């Protein structure tokens, strides 16, 4: 990044000591699939769908 005279660091150094990346990209699809909240929602939707399918077959 930058040129030889004007170097640009890949992260931002804050006065309180925090360091954050200069560009924060959103997680990829595969990273989002393995997050716990996404897995919990997928599990709950699967249970609800199974209950609905079971109720439909009883009718």
């Amino acid at each position: 990044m930058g040129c030889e005279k004007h170097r640009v660091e890949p992260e931002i150094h804050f006065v309180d000591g925090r360091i954050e990346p200069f560009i924060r990209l959103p997680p990829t699809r595969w990273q989002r699939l393995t997050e716990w909240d996404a897995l919990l929602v997928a599990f709950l939707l699967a249970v609800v769908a199974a209950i609905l399918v079971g109720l439909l077959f009883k009718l």
Side-chain angles (χ1 to χ4, degrees):
M1 287 189 237
C3 65
E4 292 179 18
K5 279 179 80 174
H6 304 97
R7 302 293 296 165
V8 177
E9 296 295 325
E11 63 251 346
I12 301 170
H13 297 268
F14 291 95
V15 178
D16 63 357
R18 289 181 299 139
I19 298 174
E20 292 187 13
F22 185 67
I23 297 174
R24 184 175 299 178
L25 298 174
T28 62
R29 181 186 321 177
W30 306 114
Q31 289 170 334
R32 286 192 310 262
L33 285 175
T34 56
E35 292 177 353
W36 284 108
D37 55 345
L39 291 174
L40 180 63
V41 169
F43 175 75
L44 290 175
L45 288 175
V47 168
V48 169
I51 291 171
L52 289 174
V53 168
L55 289 174
L56 285 175
F57 280 123
K58 278 188 176 180
L59 297 175

